[in-house]
Amino acid sequence: MLYHLNKAGFEAYLVGGGVRDLLLGLHPKDFDVATNASPEEVRAQFRNCRLIGRRFRLAHVYFGREIIEVATFRAHHDQGEGEGHMENGLILRDNVFGNLEDDAWRRDFSVNALYYNIADFSLVDYTGGMQDLQNRELHIIGDPVTRFREDPVRMLRAIRFAAKLDFQLETNMAAAIIEQAERLSDVPAARLFEEVLKLFMHGQALRTYELMREYHLFKYLFAETDALLDSHGAYLDPFIRRAMVNTDERIRAKKPVTPAFLFAVLLWGPVRKRVELLQEEIPMPDALRIAGDEVVSEMVKQVTLPKRFSLPMREIWQLQARLEMRRGKRPWRLLENRRFRAAYDFMLLREQVGEPLTDLCQWWTAFQQEDEDGRQRLSRALPGNRPARKKQSSTKKKRAASPVLANNST
Ligand code: ATP
Ligand code: MG
């Protein structure tokens, strides 16, 4: 790919997360390429290429299942040529092209602005990235306030990299984040969604969550949850933490993580609060559904949630009620549900932070493990006409005997 561009007479470098992670001895998740070829020129070079993005136009080149992002060198808006658009210091279009050095200075962090030149195996470092890499410090390039005003998403990126790389946030930048946090509310909901996904899927979700709270950024993604953490943190904080620990473990074990489960966790506080109010008048499964709908419509005002995540998320919530309804053939049917495993894991999490669900969890753990005879036995042992449970707001702490969370495999 790089050779191909070189051969066609263009400069091309590896840059960004791939180079950074390699230098840190981490396994790069993908590679980004920077070149002086324009997006159209890149497209002309590769059959399997698509141009994407308006705010930031770039080329996606497909190699089998891999996508390589090829970006044309950018420059600051008062230099270079092309299309740039700013409003109140906020970059709305970032398609002003420049040379390699211009490109380095407009990247976000110095450790993300290291270029690897495959033509002579040299590393190009205009911004002191190597030094910062050695010191394990995250430095924003240029004045933090200006750079966060240009693009508030850089604040979320700062937290993500500090957590993922275990880097210290440089102090001026750290102060600027707290000061500028509010600007995140100007970021379009669709772009925030992309960032949220990246925030919790890199293997350090717990640390990310802690830093997000510490720097007061969490509320710009999950306002209701954030407010509940301040008032009802005793239940919600351990609940989220445990889910984050599980997520990190799964990623380390190379097991799949479904964003729907993460969102179900991050929005459970607001759902639970509504259910408690609604339950007085509406029976449980409906209360859960209504609460879920309300929470989703509030959520999408801040962060877009595509249906492919919000539907399974709602199912996980709704199954929380169905897990309690075990009469007749219901448990067998539920086991066939494709969200069963996620819903079961979710219930275990609730139990672990003190909801009185220990018996229910143990029953379902056994029901899954037993053969048909055993399942019949478990079903018969249930007290006849047990209605769905009432309140779920008990804070009484009970311990589960089963080590179930260790082997969840949704
Ligand atoms: P990851 O490991 O998550 O892919 P990354 O650093 O490669 O991390 P990308 O989102 O893939 O992150 O972006 C690639 C590169 O583009 C970054 O390393 C950085 O140099 C530059 N970049 C990305 N987003 C911004 C931004 N909002 N402002 C300035 N530069 C950015
Ligand atoms: Mg990348």
Side-chain angles (χ1 to χ4, degrees), residues 15 25 33 37 148 159 166 200 233 237 250 295 298 318 356 362 374 384 392 403:
V15 67
V33 168
F148 291 146
I159 299 301
D166 190 21
F200 296 109
D237 187 58
R250 291 182 65 90
V295 168
E298 273 305 303
Q318 275 157 45
Q362 284 174 352
Q392 39 172 252

Side-chain angles (χ1 to χ4, degrees), residues 368-382:
Q368 290 174 79
Q369 289 162 354
E370 289 290 347
D371 59 10
E372 184 54 29
D373 283 350
R375 286 180 183 170
Q376 299 281 359
R377 232 182 306 116
L378 280 165
S379 173
R380 278 195 304 273
L382 289 172

